[in-house]
Amino acid sequence: QSVLTQPPSVSAAPGQKVTISCSGSSSNIGSYFVSWYQQLPGTAPKLLIYDSNMRISGISDRFSASKSGTSAILAITGLQAGDEADYYCGTWDRSLSAGVFGGGTKLTVL
Amino acid sequence: EVQLLESGGGLVQPGGSLRLSCAASGFTFTRYAMSWVRQAPGKGLEWVSSIGASGGDTYYADSVKGRFTISRDNSETTLYLQMNSLRADDTAFYYCAKDRWSTGSSSSGLDYWGQGTLVTVYS
């Protein structure tokens, strides 16, 4: 079981908006920044969002993120077929003194 | 251009050892923390270990604590993961990743990743 909870899958049609949630606790998301990663099939993960809501240079502004309390959300607007991937949230956990990831969410563009 | 090149993966029997290496280039290695993250085939990401820029602070997942040791050679810009007492559930792709900050306990994000090296523990 992952420390951070994500929905296993989400789906939406091209052009639509989708959100992916990441739920944690006061010892992780509640106390630290959240980062978001995209992993296309057969490739290494790629950082999309750092410091909870900052886009990495070169990442489309269709990707945005926010954090509130012990939860975080990644939003993707104007969905494209190329957005189909697994998405992971990550942060640090004070109680574990360890990094933690969510279980991952598979995005399907219908 | 930042490059992280992992090596050292392979087949090993339960109880065996392996040493992974990650050769880094294209950035000032001594300024950033580094991490190892693994992914079992068809599964999600699992954080394994991190080390601060100076090597003075190290952290481990409970699943590997006491069996794995992370280290770095700043003069050679290389990150290591010594893995002992390997178990079947250690089978995974192991990724080396660069942190955005210098401390091993950073939550800012891992901004560059290698392509991974596969470790298979079989009996």
Side-chain angles (χ1 to χ4, degrees):
Chain A
Q1 301 289 48
S2 301
V3 172
L4 305 180
T5 301
Q6 297 180 234
S9 63
V10 295
S11 62
Q16 296 299 302
K17 174 183 177 179
V18 69
T19 60
I20 298 172
S21 60
C22 176
S23 177
S25 69
S26 59
S27 68
N28 43 66
I29 293 179
S31 300
Y32 295 94
F33 291 127
V34 177
S35 51
W36 288 92
Y37 303 86
Q38 176 193 62
Q39 187 176 32
L40 298 169
T43 69
K46 178 173 76 172
L47 180 64
L48 298 176
I49 301 287
Y50 66 96
D51 291 358
S52 300
N53 59 9
M54 301 299 292
R55 262 190 315 276
I56 283 289
S57 174
I59 297 300
S60 169
D61 59 5
R62 297 186 299 106
F63 293 86
S64 64
S66 62
K67 190 189 92 164
S68 178
T70 60
S71 293
I73 292 177
L74 174 70
I76 310 171
T77 59
L79 274 175
Q80 301 173 1
D83 296 331
E84 280 207 343
D86 294 322
Y87 292 84
Y88 296 89
C89 57
T91 187
W92 187 260
D93 190 289
R94 181 179 59 235
S95 299
L96 297 174
S97 286
V100 289
F101 286 104
T105 298
K106 182 176 181 58
L107 168 62
T108 300
V109 180
L110 300 171
Chain B
E1 178 192 6
V2 172
Q3 290 193 336
L4 299 171
L5 184 61
E6 301 99 336
S7 61
L11 296 172
V12 62
Q13 291 187 319
S17 298
L18 278 178
R19 188 196 199 199
L20 305 184
S21 300
C22 172
S25 62
F27 65 100
T28 306
F29 188 72
T30 56
R31 292 178 61 181
Y32 298 96
M34 299 292 293
S35 295
W36 288 99
V37 176
R38 68 185 181 184
Q39 186 171 35
K43 303 297 185 182
L45 301 178
E46 181 186 10
W47 180 90
V48 173
S49 181
S50 64
I51 185 168
S54 66
D57 55 327
T58 58
Y59 304 88
Y60 298 93
D62 284 345
S63 58
V64 307
K65 202 171 293 183
R67 301 187 299 122
F68 291 11
T69 302
I70 192 171
S71 63
R72 63 191 294 161
D73 185 333
N74 282 350
S75 66
E76 296 291 331
T77 66
T78 302
L79 175 72
Y80 300 101
L81 186 68
Q82 177 66 43
M83 304 187 296
N84 298 330
S85 303
L86 282 162
R87 310 184 306 219
D89 61 359
D90 294 318
T91 294
F93 283 95
Y94 284 74
Y95 294 101
C96 157
K98 170 190 168 293
D99 201 296
R100 294 189 66 255
W101 286 356
S102 62
T103 59
S105 57
S106 159
S107 66
S108 186
L110 302 172
D111 57 356
Y112 290 95
W113 297 61
Q115 286 307 299
T117 186
L118 179 61
V119 172
T120 303
V121 184
Y122 73 103
S123 56

